């Protein structure tokens, strides 16, 4: 089973979270997991279909996640998770109260056992026989782009998005 | 173990591929897999940290992949895979020869057992007590954007990128 999720990191652990009622996250204490993060940077367009590929950066982290029970570590982990997705948001939004913290399970996974794979650069068939075919080859870059912030329709007039959001948004 | 990969589909199967020498793809005949595709559409910025989330479309496909041995299905599957990533590229680039086909393993996974999860729209705390806090709430959209094609440095002068690439590129 694979579950998409957000994460934060303090450089030594990955933190990820879910509802305490979530079967997938919390109900399997002691179970090994593999957490993967992949950034796709572009399509590698070669002369031959065979040499086509993707430029990417990918990490796999293996281990048995630990349920975080220490209140300070839990708050710090949730802060990292929020700030990784949206820097500036933890101090701007209302922070979790006791009831919300109790409803949230936070898991920590050590970064000790991890592997990283990266591919960059041009196709590999530029100096082979296919180079004579006259086929264009190169990379079509891909990157995630933030759009302009879209206000909640229920938001009262006069509440502007904060600078840490507008600075990021595309328009 | 989680392996990032490209895929194609004919509406009834997912196709994915790898080297015949790849341990992860081919050396476990009969093993069940879970293939996941996730599109992140935006960050859901609520009044409370607790209600923060992500707008996304996610699919999980479960099953035991089948090694494709029929030559026609194999060629058609590889074509779908190439065309899903880069429409127009299969007929433009040099197609696989017999040796390359023999070195490529193609797997087919039925779409019969699959589940889809989607979240769209505004945060969920617009009509709760936190709405009175005066905190901006809404969605910060995220979308993948193609950049301008980057020619292979080994490409001879005078070979322009084809229309199906330039039409997609960002500049």
């Amino acid at each position: 089973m694979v579950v998409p999720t957000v994460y934060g990191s303090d450089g030594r652990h990955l933190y990820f979270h879910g509802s305490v009622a979530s079967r997938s996250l919390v109900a399997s204490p002691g179970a090994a997991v593999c957490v993967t993060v992949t950034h796709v940077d572009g399509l590698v367009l070669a002369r031959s279909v065979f040499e086509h590929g993707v430029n990417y950066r990918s990490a796999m982290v293996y281990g048995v996640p630990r349920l975080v029970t220490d209140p300070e570590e839990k708050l710090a982990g949730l802060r990292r998770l929020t700030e990784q997705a949206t820097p500036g948001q933890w101090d701007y939004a209302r922070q979790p109260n006791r009831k919300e913290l109790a409803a949230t399970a936070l898991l920590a996974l050590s970064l000790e056992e991890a592997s990283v794979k990266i591919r960059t650069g041009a196709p590999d068939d530029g100096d082979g026989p296919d180079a004579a075919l006259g086929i264009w080859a190169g990379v079509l870059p891909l990157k995630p782009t933030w759009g302009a912030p879209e206000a909640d329709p229920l938001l009262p007039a006069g509440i502007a998005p904060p600078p840490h959001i507008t600075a990021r948004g595309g328009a």
Side-chain angles (χ1 to χ4, degrees), chain A:
Chain A
M1 195 172 68
V2 187
V3 183
T5 191
V6 294
Y7 69 94
S9 177
D10 63 2
R12 295 192 309 133
H13 310 87
L14 284 187
Y15 289 103
F16 45 100
H17 75 321
S19 162
V20 291
S22 158
R23 192 173 59 101
S24 59
L25 267 188
V26 192
S28 313
V33 303
C34 172
V35 176
T36 301
V37 180
T38 303
H39 292 261
V40 176
D41 294 319
L43 300 176
V44 180
L45 305 171
R47 285 85 178 164
S48 67
V49 164
F50 186 74
E51 291 289 348
H52 276 57
V54 175
N55 281 341
Y56 68 102
R57 292 159 289 149
S58 172
M60 288 187 215
V61 187
Y62 300 91
V64 178
R66 168 175 57 87
L67 190 64
V68 176
T69 52
D70 175 74
E72 267 185 49
E73 186 188 3
K74 188 168 180 178
L75 211 59
L78 289 171
R79 183 191 177 103
R80 286 197 185 271
L81 200 148
T82 303
E83 288 289 300
Q84 177 123 0
T86 316
Q89 191 69 3
W90 180 267
D91 287 325
Y92 177 73
R94 177 178 68 68
Q95 290 170 21
N97 58 33
R98 193 173 304 189
K99 190 179 160 194
E100 290 166 344
L101 282 174
T104 304
L106 182 73
L107 295 175
L109 180 63
S110 167
L111 286 172
E112 254 173 49
E113 196 183 341
S115 73
V116 170
K117 280 182 75 177
I118 293 176
R119 195 211 183 276
T120 60
D124 290 329
D125 58 358
D127 53 5
D130 288 336
L133 293 175
I135 294 173
W136 186 87
V139 170
L140 190 63
L142 184 68
K143 64 175 176 199
T145 306
W146 299 108
E150 298 168 354
D152 184 340
L154 295 180
L155 196 71
I159 302 180
H164 68 275
I165 300 298
T166 52
R168 201 178 202 188

